[in-house]
Amino acid sequence: MKLKIILGTVFMCVSMGVEAQTISRTYKTVSNGNPISPCVFCADPTALEYDGRLYVYGSNDSQQFVVNNKQGNNGYGAIKSLVVFSTDDMVNWTFHGTIDVGKLCSSWGWRFAASWAPSVTWRVGANGKDEFFLFFANSGGSVGVLTANSPIGPWKSPLSKPLIDGDTPGVAPCNWIFDPGVVIDDNGTGWVAFGGGDPNSQGTKLMPGNSRIAKLKSSMIALDGKAVNLPAPYLFEASELNMMNGRYVYTYNTSWSDRNDWNSYAKRGSYPSPSSCSMCYMVTDDPLNPNAWEYKGEYVPNPGNFGFGWGNNHTHLQKFQGNYYLFYHSMVLEQNMNTGASGFRSIGVEKVTVNESKQQINKVTMTNQGPAAIKKMDPYSLQQAETMSTSGGINYEDFSNIVKVTTLNGLGNDASKNLQVKMNKGAWTMVRNVDFGSEGANSFTLRTKGTGKLEIRLDNPNAKAAATVEFSSSVFLNHTVSVDPTLFKGVKKIFFMFMEATNVYFDSWQFSLEQPSGIQPFVSTEKTPSAVYDLSGRKHLSNQGLKSGVYIRNGKKVVVK
């Protein structure tokens, strides 16, 4: 590997005061966990756990926002991509970019229209390789599927047309063939639920008749038999599936229709009628038997106008590190931005109490705070710039800060590729719950290009700089400075404030317990054939020093024991 000598890095004393410079506004406060992204509109979440990280996928509302010139209503028609985030602590989220579904499904021709409401699952295939399956709504008329061998791709369309459409046996009459929910049961069999809309030609307000469920073949990309009706009262949209204690759990969003016929529902039990546009669920042992489904009530009432907007929701229940979390979307980011645009959603998450043995989901209240951190961030590991709790002045949705890989997509980025964050003057990112330990860090390394000045501030965006890095380079280089270990110890919030920035791209950062002296040699982190990445896209210089786990080298899995 090549060595690079880094010159001219400047450390400025802590005693210097905060300069009277403007920092960019944030639309998510530093103490809140929701929405998970402070700058990307996204909706209809789904998730999976893989090798210690939680990956969340959603509809890319930001694409429509850009097409609309950041104004007007969200018409959804321009959304032809999906977004991907991940976390290992539930408070700092890594943005992995977008999956350009339109590009991947170009062979469909006129059959492809849009990509909404993904649902994802994975398994270890018969060949021993990990296999990922991402189902999505192709507008309101069909369901497609993508496959990959990694949670961040590269993805491909294994079919030249949708998996499910109006001609699929058992589907008709179904008004909207969309919003798939996929699960692999305890026997390794795949299932997909889908459908929605106002009552079909044979339906009623109580039983609109649009929900379907079907068994999947072992390939996961074909149906095994016809779809059957799933009798969900007041169904409107947002199907998802889970397994709990060997039983199938189906969740969905209800309609706005009146509930005057609730008492005619023989399986209502002691449950009251669900409120308008709420999330309800059902369970069964036999998915293909309509009579075997049991209604279990409402678990997410519509929040109305309490800062989250009145509208449909779409939830996903996910178990991660032994706890259950509920992902949903709201309008809170749009409301905070106050641009006059309408209908642009953002993903939130709450911890939820679940009784697996009874398949009981306790009611969930949406909050700005979100869940607590489940672990502390390690500043001594290489961290990507796209990992943040909140930020100001970051505009991923412009798709202008990523080198295009046209063989993969037309947007200029892809979930399988590392990103860099464009930082304008006054832009900043923040990570929280960062644990420096009792000894404290002695140095900091910034990987960036362009000309600028970074101030590191602790716990408060308006605090004095605890360290400063000035840099100038036309290519990505590592810049290192000494830091005061008495300041960089214990658990902190870290603000990376770019007080000066000309053509600056922020790639990664890392603290060290080592004290640099004089001119420092650094191993280049430019991509080479021998580079090793972990599953969040973080790069490691070699296998030496890697913790036990699974990594990706040249697209292949590497196990370090």
Side-chain angles (χ1 to χ4, degrees):
M1 296 183 182
K2 295 192 300 183
L3 294 179
K4 293 193 175 181
I5 306 299
I6 311 303
L7 300 172
T9 303
V10 179
F11 171 66
M12 301 184 75
C13 296
V14 175
S15 60
M16 292 187 66
V18 178
E19 297 181 30
Q21 292 176 289
T22 302
I23 61 174
S24 298
R25 178 183 174 186
T26 182
Y27 301 107
K28 172 186 173 183
T29 64
V30 299
S31 59
N32 285 341
N34 285 326
I36 66 171
S37 173
C39 51
V40 178
F41 289 120
C42 45
D44 310 316
T46 187
L48 61 82
E49 180 177 358
Y50 183 72
D51 280 357
R53 290 191 72 84
L54 183 63
Y55 292 83
V56 176
Y57 308 75
S59 305
N60 188 8
D61 279 22
S62 278
Q63 189 173 16
Q64 184 77 59
F65 189 59
V66 172
V67 170
N68 282 15
N69 197 28
K70 304 183 181 182
Q71 58 189 353
N73 297 326
N74 187 352
Y76 313 114
I79 302 174
K80 303 178 188 298
S81 58
L82 303 169
V83 298
V84 188
F85 292 88
S86 76
T87 186
D88 63 358
D89 62 13
M90 297 305 297
V91 295
N92 297 299
W93 292 87
T94 302
F95 179 51
H96 293 285
T98 58
I99 305 170
D100 188 350
V101 184
K103 177 78 172 183
L104 296 174
C105 297
S106 59
S107 64
W108 294 16
W110 61 269
R111 295 180 180 89
F112 177 79
S115 55
W116 308 335
S119 184
V120 68
T121 190
W122 75 281
R123 69 182 181 189
V124 178
N127 58 4
K129 293 183 178 180
D130 297 334
E131 299 174 337
F132 296 79
F133 303 91
L134 186 64
F135 292 69
F136 66 93
N138 178 35
S139 188
S142 61
V143 170
V145 61
L146 304 176
T147 60
N149 294 117
S150 158
I152 55 173
W155 297 89
K156 65 179 181 180
S157 173
L159 305 173
S160 58
K161 62 179 182 178
L163 169 66
I164 301 168
D165 59 22
D167 294 327
T168 301
V171 170
C174 179
N175 285 352
W176 297 343
I177 306 167
F178 78 157
D179 284 11
V182 64
V183 74
I184 297 175
D185 68 19
D186 298 341
N187 298 315
T189 301
W191 300 85
V192 61
F194 57 93
D198 293 325
N200 65 30
S201 58
Q202 300 173 10
T204 65
K205 290 181 180 178
L206 175 63
M207 286 293 170
N210 293 314
S211 182
R212 301 288 183 270
I213 189 168
K215 184 180 179 181
L216 293 165
K217 290 185 176 180
S218 59
S219 67
M220 292 290 290
I221 59 171
L223 299 192
D224 186 1
K226 69 177 184 179
V228 302
N229 183 52
L230 197 166
Y234 304 117
L235 167 96
F236 190 68
E237 60 181 2
S239 296
E240 270 281 23
L241 287 171
N242 283 84
M243 294 298 300
M244 272 187 214
N245 198 31
R247 304 196 80 194
Y248 302 82
V249 179
Y250 171 69
T251 61
Y252 66 97
N253 184 260
T254 65
S255 69
W256 284 282
S257 68
D258 63 61
R259 307 302 197 233
N260 296 334
D261 50 1
W262 178 245
N263 288 337
S264 67
Y265 179 42
K267 291 191 174 185
R268 68 188 184 279
S270 61
Y271 295 106
S273 61
S275 57
S276 296
C277 199
S278 63
M279 296 300 304
C280 296
Y281 69 114
M282 304 178 74
V283 301
T284 190
D285 295 309
D286 186 2
L288 297 180
N289 180 359
N291 294 322
W293 285 94
E294 304 169 29
Y295 177 76
K296 299 282 281 186
E298 174 183 283
Y299 66 97
V300 183
N302 192 288
N305 294 317
F306 296 101
F308 289 93
W310 183 270
N312 290 359
N313 216 310
H314 193 128
T315 68
H316 174 75
L317 186 67
Q318 181 65 44
K319 193 173 185 179
F320 177 56
Q321 301 292 307
N323 295 309
Y324 273 97
Y325 296 90
L326 189 80
F327 290 87
Y328 58 89
H329 62 236
S330 73
M331 303 326 174
V332 65
L333 183 62
E334 173 194 277
Q335 291 174 359
N336 291 344
M337 292 178 70
N338 194 28
T339 64
S342 176
F344 294 95
R345 303 156 296 176
S346 48
I347 293 174
V349 60
E350 308 291 344
K351 190 175 180 180
V352 58
T353 301
V354 172
N355 185 322
E356 291 182 327
S357 63
K358 295 181 178 180
Q359 302 85 52
Q360 178 179 320
I361 309 170
N362 283 15
K363 282 196 175 183
V364 180
T365 300
M366 300 176 187
T367 69
N368 288 316
Q369 291 75 28
I374 60 172
K375 63 179 291 189
K376 294 180 174 65
M377 175 179 270
D378 179 9
Y380 305 115
S381 295
L382 186 67
Q383 302 287 350
Q384 293 296 310
E386 311 85 71
T387 301
M388 64 188 72
S389 175
T390 190
S391 65
I394 304 298
N395 294 295
Y396 285 123
E397 70 270 13
D398 290 331
F399 302 126
S400 61
N401 61 322
I402 300 107
V403 176
K404 291 185 178 181
V405 185
T406 55
T407 57
L408 294 177
N409 63 72
L411 293 175
N413 56 350
D414 189 83
S416 65
K417 297 294 177 183
N418 282 348
L419 310 180
Q420 300 89 39
V421 184
K422 177 73 187 314
M423 305 300 293
N424 295 316
K425 182 177 180 179
W428 55 276
T429 67
M430 185 273 278
V431 289
R432 58 183 170 130
N433 212 40
V434 182
D435 189 3
F436 288 96
S438 58
E439 184 178 348
N442 284 289
S443 64
F444 169 75
T445 299
L446 168 73
R447 179 171 167 81
T448 189
K449 73 174 180 179
T451 300
K453 180 173 71 173
L454 167 70
E455 289 187 1
I456 302 176
R457 302 180 186 177
L458 301 177
D459 294 330
N460 189 314
N462 297 312
K464 293 181 179 180
T468 300
V469 185
E470 292 187 1
F471 56 90
S472 183
S473 62
S474 60
V475 297
F476 279 106
L477 292 178
N478 289 331
H479 307 270
T480 199
V481 295
S482 297
V483 299
D484 184 348
T486 64
L487 298 176
F488 291 90
K489 67 183 343 179
V491 179
K492 303 288 185 182
K493 295 185 182 77
I494 308 177
F495 294 83
F496 299 104
M497 321 288 292
F498 285 80
M499 308 311 295
E500 301 292 341
T502 302
N503 297 321
V504 168
Y505 293 85
F506 181 22
D507 185 43
S508 62
W509 60 271
Q510 185 174 14
F511 285 86
S512 174
L513 295 170
E514 301 298 323
Q515 176 67 50
S517 58
I519 297 174
Q520 296 298 311
F522 291 93
V523 178
S524 170
T525 54
E526 295 175 0
K527 295 178 181 178
T528 66
S530 62
V532 178
Y533 299 81
D534 71 14
L535 294 169
S536 69
R538 299 189 180 104
K539 187 179 299 183
H540 296 270
L541 302 181
S542 71
N543 285 344
Q544 294 181 351
L546 292 181
K547 297 179 180 179
S548 297
V550 181
Y551 299 85
I552 299 296
R553 183 199 292 273
N554 298 338
K556 298 181 179 180
K557 187 163 66 174
V558 176
V559 178
V560 178
K561 297 182 178 180

